[in-house]
Amino acid sequence: MSSAAHRWIRRLARFATFTLEEHRALEDASASTRRCAANDDLHKPGDSGGRLFVVLEGLVCQHKFLADGRRQILAYLFAGDMADPRQLLQTHMDHALCVIWPSEVAMLTSSSMQRLDQFPNITQAMSRYASTQQAIGREWLVNVGHRTASERLGHLICELYIRLEAVGLTRDQAFELPLTQAELGDTLALSAVHVNRTLMELRRLKLVTFQNRQVVIHDFAALRIAAGFDPRYLQLNEETLGRIAGMP
Amino acid sequence: MSSAAHRWIRRLARFATFTLEEHRALEDASASTRRCAANDDLHKPGDSGGRLFVVLEGLVCQHKFLADGRRQILAYLFAGDMADPRQLLQTHMDHALCVIWPSEVAMLTSSSMQRLDQFPNITQAMSRYASTQQAIGREWLVNVGHRTASERLGHLICELYIRLEAVGLTRDQAFELPLTQAELGDTLALSAVHVNRTLMELRRLKLVTFQNRQVVIHDFAALRIAAGFDPRYLQLNEETLGRIAGMP
DNA sequence: CGAGCCCTTGAAACTCGTCAATGATCGTGG
DNA sequence: CCACGATCATTGACGAGTTTCAAGGGCTCG
């Protein structure tokens, strides 16, 4: 499996076992891809729906701006992630999809989705996947609402580590995270300055280091405790849980 | 339409025009109901999935607790609201469903859902409905993350007013909201004390009053501005927008 | 080599949380 | 019918966490 779609398929394959034919259908659907530069908007609020983006490489985010420029990042889409299939039904988008790091994306339309929906296995995998993404959104609300700055940051890092591990985007206890501190702030509802101070604290505690777009986790077990991270919302299977060191 | 299901059907009917047969199928599916007292848990985190609750009367919320007792309310389910159909696929719940005010609820199972799914019209209406609920969740993240206390409170009140208006649960510019200030705090990520102070400020500004479980909006247009409320995320149709006074 | 973006650091201000005490309201049982 | 306890609303004083403002330094890219 060397096509650009392999991380996407791998992510979905967590929720179903695909036949060769289904596998092929997914590859076909995402065959036509497009390269996007940072800051490109894949869609903006108010745009019509009917399009569904799959991120094959790079990093994309969902976000929303307030009138005065305050911004909340709603979700990250890493390589292998896709937007929610239900967006095909929405008549106009309520949020924007913005490229954070040069990306390769595929765009599914209603008709290509209809083809995929002929395989109940695929439909179900997508629904389960989207359901997990929704659970992540709920956890983000808890994070932003009720955790302290260092808990927020630690919790996000734990989550991203596990999500990226699932598609082979980590090595040892490290992964690439091409975000500025300001973007982390817009994610966690903290000022960039405070993100900076909090990162230094986590580094001082020898829990995790974030420098040059690299996150290095020095002590996952301790970070997990410090952040109050409970991975159950990620709907992992036993096998994955076991693979991650420092997991309950 | 006098069955207990009428608000539910009315809410879904926003997204599709039901035939008599479809109408009947929805009534049948929700025929068996159950009365629940405040503080009952319909399900807890870790419970197995496969059940889908519809709230016919009362008020229910989704929430999540942190280990030390901090709590974030994730969503309200008013009369006519239902949980996300995708929860039927989840093997175990990541959040709790808790009754806030004495309620009447129906429980759909996978098999009753399969019956309903024979009507593509119903499936589609539910998906569109759930999609709107997801958009509300996104807006809550923006709310908690990036708005000030009075903006948060004002924004929530604007949203609830419109949601309740859609199922006939408002009269004039007022509606019943059986929440304590502590529960509002757990929703908006504010302390109960600060909710109290903020409510008084909104009252002092003659924007809105919340007393004895009654929300009275004195000046919707001004409240909307003060809260930065843009109703587009609620996916309203023109007709509804026009009905609400003070709408753009 | 300069411009621009990003990270870092300090000081001051502010929003909001915590603690604590007082009242108001309400359902319950004596 | 009133006393009681419980829950909730209200208010004040204080403190903590976080934001804002400001400035300097480092890195990268043209």
Side-chain angles (χ1 to χ4, degrees), chain B residues 82-125:
Chain B
M82 69 187 295
D84 193 309
R86 280 207 289 232
Q87 284 184 11
L88 287 172
L89 298 170
Q90 251 174 281
T91 53
H92 65 87
M93 296 290 112
D94 63 308
H95 60 273
L97 206 55
C98 177
V99 176
I100 289 187
W101 197 248
S103 296
E104 185 175 2
V105 304
M107 194 185 87
L108 306 185
T109 60
S110 297
S111 59
S112 58
M113 203 50 186
Q114 272 167 25
R115 261 192 300 281
L116 292 177
D117 278 338
Q118 287 167 357
F119 302 97
N121 217 18
I122 290 182
T123 310
Q124 211 210 28

Side-chain angles (χ1 to χ4, degrees), chain A:
Chain A
M1 176 162 62
S2 63
S3 86
H6 84 276
R7 288 193 211 281
W8 179 42
I9 298 176
R10 180 162 166 188
R11 191 151 265 168
L12 291 175
R14 208 177 241 279
F15 303 99
T17 310
F18 295 129
T19 64
L20 254 168
E21 198 187 358
E22 289 162 346
H23 208 285
R24 176 68 58 89
L26 287 165
E27 281 184 341
D28 287 351
S30 59
S32 150
T33 70
R34 164 176 142 202
R35 289 231 127 250
C36 302
N39 294 318
D40 278 6
D41 282 321
L42 297 180
H43 64 67
K44 293 174 188 268
D47 284 3
S48 62
R51 296 175 302 163
L52 192 63
F53 291 96
V54 181
V55 178
L56 303 172
E57 261 314 316
L59 177 55
V60 171
C61 79
Q62 281 182 14
H63 68 191
K64 247 175 150 165
F65 272 105
L66 297 189
D68 62 359
R70 285 173 286 178
R71 166 169 94 138
Q72 175 69 48
I73 291 181
L74 302 162
Y76 294 129
L77 280 72
F78 291 95
D81 279 316
M82 69 188 294
D84 194 309
R86 279 206 290 229
Q87 285 184 10
L88 287 172
L89 298 170
Q90 250 174 280
T91 54
H92 65 87
M93 295 291 111
D94 63 308
H95 61 274
L97 206 54
C98 176
V99 177
I100 289 187
W101 196 248
S103 297
E104 185 176 1
V105 304
M107 195 185 88
L108 307 184
T109 60
S110 296
S111 59
S112 57
M113 207 45 190
Q114 272 168 23
R115 262 193 299 281
L116 292 177
D117 277 340
Q118 287 166 359
F119 302 97
N121 217 17
I122 290 182
T123 310
Q124 211 210 28
M126 284 190 184
S127 292
R128 281 186 200 271
Y129 164 77
S131 175
T132 302
Q133 297 298 103
Q134 258 182 283
I136 290 173
R138 285 190 286 269
E139 192 62 41
W140 279 31
L141 184 55
V142 177
N143 214 21
V144 164
H146 284 279
R147 283 195 255 256
T148 65
S150 57
E151 287 173 328
R152 282 184 220 185
L153 207 32
H155 195 279
L156 179 68
I157 289 171
C158 287
E159 177 192 297
L160 296 182
Y161 174 64
I162 291 178
R163 285 172 58 183
L164 291 173
E165 203 275 342
V167 284
L169 282 170
T170 60
R171 17 168 193 35
D172 303 323
Q173 304 266 60
F175 58 91
E176 187 155 72
L177 188 67
L179 292 174
T180 65
Q181 296 183 354
E183 286 164 336
L184 274 176
D186 287 343
T187 306
L188 299 171
L190 296 169
S191 68
V193 171
H194 203 63
V195 168
N196 183 284
R197 293 194 233 270
T198 309
L199 280 171
M200 310 213 120
E201 196 197 333
L202 292 179
R203 194 185 317 168
R204 189 177 55 72
L205 294 171
K206 302 218 187 309
L207 295 178
V208 61
T209 304
F210 177 45
Q211 268 169 334
N212 301 109
R213 296 193 294 277
Q214 296 290 316
V215 173
V216 181
I217 301 178
H218 305 305
D219 187 342
F220 186 85
L223 181 64
R224 216 177 67 69
I225 304 296
F229 178 77
D230 177 346
R232 276 177 290 189
Y233 72 100
L234 290 171
Q235 313 259 34
L236 304 174
N237 50 37
E238 293 302 324
E239 186 244 318
T240 310
L241 276 170
R243 194 168 55 241
I244 313 270
M247 215 70 144

